[in-house]
Amino acid sequence: MTASTAMRWRVETWDPAYGASTEDPSELSRSSAKVTLDVEFPSDRWHPVEPDWAAPSWPSVLFVDGVRRIDAMAWVLDEPAGAAASLALCASYAAGVVCCRPGAAHLLGAEVRRGLFSPAEHATDVVTRAGRYIRVPATVRPDSPAPGQELTLAVQRQLGEVELAAAGRARDGLAARHPEWSDDDLLVVDGPLRGRAHLPRTLGYIKTHRSEYLPTALHQLAGALRVGQRTPVFELGTSWRRYTWYLRLPGGSVAPWAGVVRVECSADLPVAEVVSLASRSQPMLCRYASTEYKDSRAPQNLYPIAGLERELRRRLGDQALLYRAIRHAAA
């Protein structure tokens, strides 16, 4: 291959162990969501919205996230006699909140749980020398080709409930720790806002893209955003409604859509308040964007979220020790 015909290619900074941060545009599925474009601007006047770097941030920004881990796969054996053995997962999961204030950040709270997820009606808690795995009933279709995947989704749902509880308690913890606290704060939930849209002053932060919501020309506009720019606000309606917009973070590679995140908020807010929230959060989220040499999911994995994940994983405990404890209990 000569220099004139050399392949042009780019490597994305995002760690491939987490999947792709952005899918190949040809692989994105066209969403069936109802999209309302004429929220902030009419669709024929859409343009990148520049950041106001001097915009005031919030005195306190709270980041909520959770982690999960499968410690062991197991089988709940037949009881009563004649019943088929049922697959089970021993899982550890945790959620917490980190509070960021000017010049400082601290953990507001964290909760760790362990569960035995199984469809077996006679399953019970598993008590090990390293902790108790509380029995969590889970539904698996009898003809399921992937029962393990269904159980993993059950773990994810339980984690979502712990995250919701952590988010609900976050402001109580903030008020207790900072007597001067006022209600001028912001809560950022890592992931979609589903089930949490009722929380006041809350944003959902989505790092990866699996669906194409916008018409082709506007989708291309989102992919061509420059650092700090966002799209106008638009509305998505599926089984639930929310306002949303795309934002380009600093530090991404030149790969298509690298560094682009989607942010969403409650559809119950007045449009003027939504636009203000989008514009005010624009520079704030950019300031928390991570860099490649510190985080393999840069820039989308914001520094506070990455730090919270590390602390939560530490609190999950040593996986090898837990695995040995589970095997010892089973024996």
Side-chain angles (χ1 to χ4, degrees):
M1 181 177 291
T2 65
S4 61
T5 60
M7 177 182 70
R8 297 179 66 249
W9 61 295
R10 297 291 186 271
V11 177
E12 193 169 354
T13 57
W14 184 277
D15 188 339
Y18 295 99
S21 66
T22 55
E23 300 297 334
D24 185 310
S26 64
E27 297 297 325
L28 285 173
S29 60
R30 167 59 66 178
S31 172
S32 60
K34 180 182 178 181
V35 179
T36 303
L37 298 171
D38 302 333
V39 175
E40 186 174 358
F41 299 110
S43 59
D44 59 356
R45 290 173 47 205
W46 264 44
H47 61 273
V49 179
E50 296 290 342
D52 177 6
W53 298 110
S57 187
W58 289 263
S60 300
V61 182
L62 311 176
F63 293 89
V64 181
D65 196 14
V67 298
R68 60 178 172 83
R69 185 184 68 203
I70 306 303
D71 294 330
M73 295 182 65
W75 291 92
V76 177
L77 302 179
D78 52 340
E79 185 183 326
S86 299
L87 180 65
L89 297 180
C90 291
S92 297
Y93 48 106
V97 183
V98 64
C99 172
C100 294
R101 293 169 63 83
H106 58 266
L107 186 69
L108 269 183
E111 181 176 353
V112 178
R113 295 186 186 178
R114 306 193 197 280
L116 174 75
F117 292 78
S118 173
E121 295 182 0
H122 55 279
T124 62
D125 294 358
V126 171
V127 180
T128 78
R129 59 193 179 193
R132 177 187 292 266
Y133 287 79
I134 305 297
R135 185 231 172 177
V136 180
T139 302
V140 174
R141 292 170 296 155
D143 59 344
S144 174
Q149 184 175 359
E150 293 193 43
L151 292 178
T152 300
L153 289 174
V155 177
Q156 184 62 39
R157 286 192 292 271
Q158 284 294 306
L159 174 58
E161 291 185 11
V162 180
E163 289 179 349
L164 178 59
R169 293 192 299 264
R171 285 171 171 131
D172 292 337
L174 182 62
R177 185 154 181 167
H178 299 285
E180 76 283 5
W181 173 79
S182 69
D183 59 3
D184 185 21
D185 61 14
L186 182 69
L187 186 69
V188 180
V189 176
D190 189 40
L193 209 54
R194 180 190 295 273
R196 296 171 282 199
H198 63 284
L199 297 171
R201 303 181 306 284
T202 300
L203 296 179
Y205 179 80
I206 297 91
K207 296 191 287 281
T208 59
H209 311 289
R210 297 289 182 263
S211 297
E212 183 177 337
Y213 296 108
L214 298 171
T216 301
L218 300 184
H219 183 80
Q220 292 173 348
L221 180 148
L225 292 171
R226 296 196 302 271
V227 169
Q229 292 179 336
R230 65 170 175 87
T231 65
V233 173
F234 58 102
E235 184 181 358
L236 282 181
T238 51
S239 58
W240 61 296
R241 296 170 50 247
R242 66 275 201 198
Y243 288 119
T244 188
W245 58 93
Y246 290 101
L247 167 68
R248 169 84 68 175
L249 298 175
S253 73
V254 295
W257 281 70
V260 176
V261 297
R262 187 169 62 81
V263 188
E264 58 187 32
C265 69
S266 171
D268 294 332
L269 298 175
V271 170
E273 186 175 337
V274 172
V275 172
S276 175
L277 189 59
S279 296
R280 191 177 174 189
S281 65
Q282 201 173 343
M284 181 274 293
L285 291 173
C286 287
R287 292 186 187 108
Y288 285 118
S290 54
T291 52
E292 181 184 354
Y293 73 94
K294 287 188 175 181
D295 195 307
S296 58
R297 287 180 286 169
Q300 292 97 313
N301 205 39
L302 305 179
Y303 278 130
I305 293 175
L308 179 58
E309 287 177 341
R310 285 193 297 271
E311 175 60 21
L312 293 175
R313 289 195 178 97
R314 185 187 70 81
R315 293 183 179 222
L316 290 184
D318 183 87
Q319 186 173 12
L321 184 151
L322 287 163
Y323 178 69
R324 289 196 297 271
I326 292 167
R327 293 198 59 175
H328 183 271

